[in-house]
């Protein structure tokens, strides 16, 4: 069920609703008295909620297919950064005949900074299947609340270096065991791959319904990186992705022995070591049915 009250889309697709008193906040900081918390980041989009501006930032300046990490600032009408805000969001893709959300985390406060962060795993890019992404955002400051519904966001596709060929960074699947559960596997890192050992991280979510995706713990993603253009050779010293309880993410290591195009072949296994999706690479099978792509 959608977290906020739905607003009918029509000639006015963007609507904000404000409750009394939000113009007064308990604690804020003059912007010129603290370092810029978004230094090194690019602005993605502004959302105007009454007298407050919520700005999304990240490394690319874009909402992107697959994993997108976003940092939010909240500023009052005088440009002062608000440190005690609470934010929540709900992204939804409208495809005309159906709607769906996507795996996401809650928006949480960054320690010791007037900054808030969240992660989204966008299953599709804007325009794919003629769909559009809309974004609901709720803000609480003190005892007052406000929200904005159906702000359109532009989720970009992800390409290989040629700028035309799509790069696989997220995959939705149905398990091959009798449960036939639906999962979403999302590549997070390496974001800036290099020759040698790289940390590799990923999320696994179980799809309960079109709007509900639950993080899955204690699975394994067996890893086999290959270079299709180089006789499909692999590399040594790779480490399968296993659940890291402290960071709440799947973490492993991938060794790129040279630059170029790599397929990160994966096999998804449950906590009992049973294969749910994917297959080994062999002389006759070039790739797993579950893989991601990296090229640098």
């Amino acid at each position: 069920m959608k977290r906020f009250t739905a607003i009918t889309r029509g000639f006015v697709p963007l609507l904000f609703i404000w409750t009394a008193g939000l113009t007064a906040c308990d604690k804020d900081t003059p912007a010129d008295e603290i370092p810029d918390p978004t230094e090194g980041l690019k602005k993605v989009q502004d959302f105007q909620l009454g007298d407050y501006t919520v700005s999304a930032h990240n490394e690319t300046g874009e909402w992107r297919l697959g994993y997108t990490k976003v940092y939010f600032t909240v500023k009052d009408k005088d440009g002062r950064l608000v440190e005690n805000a609470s934010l929540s969001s709900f992204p939804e893709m409208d495809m005309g005949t159906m709607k769906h959300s996507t795996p996401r985390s809650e928006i949480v406060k960054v320690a010791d900074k007037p900054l808030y962060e969240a992660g989204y795993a966008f299953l599709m890019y804007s325009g794919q299947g003629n769909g559009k992404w809309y974004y609901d955002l709720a803000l609480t400051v003190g005892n007052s609340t406000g929200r904005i519904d159906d702000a359109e966001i532009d989720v970009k596709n992800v390409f290989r270096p040629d700028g035309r060929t799509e790069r696989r960074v997220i995959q939705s699947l149905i398990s091959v065991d009798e449960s036939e559960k639906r999962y979403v596997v999302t590549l997070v890192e390496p974001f800036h791959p290099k020759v040698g050992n790289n940390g590799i991280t990923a999320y696994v979510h179980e799809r309960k319904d079109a709007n509900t995706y639950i993080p899955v713990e204690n699975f394994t993603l067996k890893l086999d990186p290959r270079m299709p253009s180089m006789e499909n050779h692999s590399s040594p010293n790779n480490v399968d992705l296993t659940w890291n309880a402290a960071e709440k993410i799947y973490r492993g290591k991938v060794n790129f022995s040279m630059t170029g195009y790599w397929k990160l072949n994966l096999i998804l296994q449950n906590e009992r070591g049973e294969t749910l999706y994917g297959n080994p690479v062999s002389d006759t099978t070039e790739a797993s049915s579950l893989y991601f792509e990296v090229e640098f």
Side-chain angles (χ1 to χ4, degrees):
M1 181 175 291
K2 195 169 181 179
R3 183 178 304 172
F4 307 117
T5 303
I7 304 298
T8 301
R9 298 191 180 102
F11 293 105
V12 186
L14 187 61
L15 175 68
F16 66 81
I17 297 175
W18 213 251
T19 59
L22 192 55
T23 55
C25 62
D26 296 332
K27 182 180 179 183
D28 51 30
T29 303
D32 58 357
E33 291 186 9
I34 62 172
D36 180 5
T38 62
E39 184 176 359
L41 301 176
K42 299 177 182 179
K43 184 176 289 187
V44 180
Q45 191 166 348
D46 288 329
F47 302 95
Q48 194 66 43
L49 286 81
D51 290 334
Y52 286 78
T53 302
V54 179
S55 300
H57 303 77
N58 65 14
E59 187 172 337
T60 66
E62 296 178 338
W63 307 98
R64 283 190 175 182
L65 178 73
Y67 184 72
T68 294
K69 189 169 187 176
V70 181
Y71 295 92
F72 298 91
T73 58
V74 180
K75 290 184 179 180
D76 66 14
K77 62 181 179 180
D78 297 318
R80 293 176 296 185
L81 289 160
V82 178
E83 300 185 72
N84 65 333
S86 176
L87 294 159
S88 60
S89 66
F90 181 84
E92 182 178 61
M93 191 178 205
D94 187 341
M95 302 184 70
T97 58
M98 64 165 291
K99 299 177 183 179
H100 65 82
S101 187
T102 205
R104 63 196 180 276
S105 69
E106 299 297 326
I107 303 177
V108 297
K109 177 74 162 53
V110 176
D112 303 322
K113 289 184 179 181
L115 200 62
Y116 310 82
E117 66 178 356
Y120 303 90
F122 289 107
L123 288 162
M124 303 173 71
Y125 54 86
S126 295
Q128 188 175 3
N130 295 317
K132 292 184 178 181
W133 281 102
Y134 293 92
Y135 191 74
D136 296 351
L137 184 66
L139 170 66
T140 299
V141 180
N143 295 321
S144 301
T145 62
R147 75 173 193 238
I148 191 167
D149 286 324
D150 294 344
E152 188 171 351
I153 60 174
D154 184 13
V155 177
K156 302 290 189 180
N157 199 358
V158 177
F159 298 99
R160 290 170 55 183
D162 64 12
R164 299 182 304 274
T165 307
E166 296 182 7
R167 180 165 63 89
R168 183 179 290 195
V169 292
I170 189 168
Q171 188 166 344
S172 181
L173 57 92
I174 300 175
S175 65
V176 298
D177 68 348
E178 61 183 12
S179 72
E180 295 185 337
K181 290 183 177 179
R182 294 176 177 267
Y183 296 99
V184 177
V185 184
T186 310
L187 178 67
V188 179
E189 296 174 315
F191 194 73
H192 298 292
K194 65 182 189 302
V195 173
N197 286 322
N198 294 254
I200 178 171
T201 56
Y203 287 112
V204 180
H205 290 82
E206 183 183 348
R207 181 188 185 276
K208 295 295 188 178
D209 57 48
N211 289 337
T212 308
Y213 299 81
I214 306 299
V216 177
E217 304 178 3
N218 301 318
F219 279 15
T220 297
L221 286 162
K222 297 187 70 65
L223 173 65
D224 185 0
R226 299 279 179 149
M227 290 196 80
S229 64
M230 302 291 290
E231 298 181 347
N232 216 34
H233 73 70
S234 187
S235 62
N237 304 319
N238 298 290
V239 178
D240 295 338
L241 288 78
T242 55
W243 176 248
N244 185 305
E247 300 178 38
K248 298 187 183 302
I249 200 169
Y250 287 86
R251 181 173 290 280
K253 290 184 179 180
V254 58
N255 178 30
F256 297 122
S257 54
M258 59 188 298
T259 59
Y261 170 66
W262 290 81
K263 276 188 177 180
L264 307 181
N265 296 286
L266 299 165
I267 299 175
L268 178 65
Q269 295 183 337
N270 63 19
E271 64 273 18
R272 297 182 296 277
E274 300 165 340
T275 294
L276 301 179
Y277 202 81
N279 52 270
V281 178
S282 67
D283 292 340
T284 57
T285 306
E286 184 178 273
S288 173
S289 55
L290 173 58
Y291 68 88
F292 296 126
E293 297 170 300
V294 171
E295 188 170 6
F296 65 103

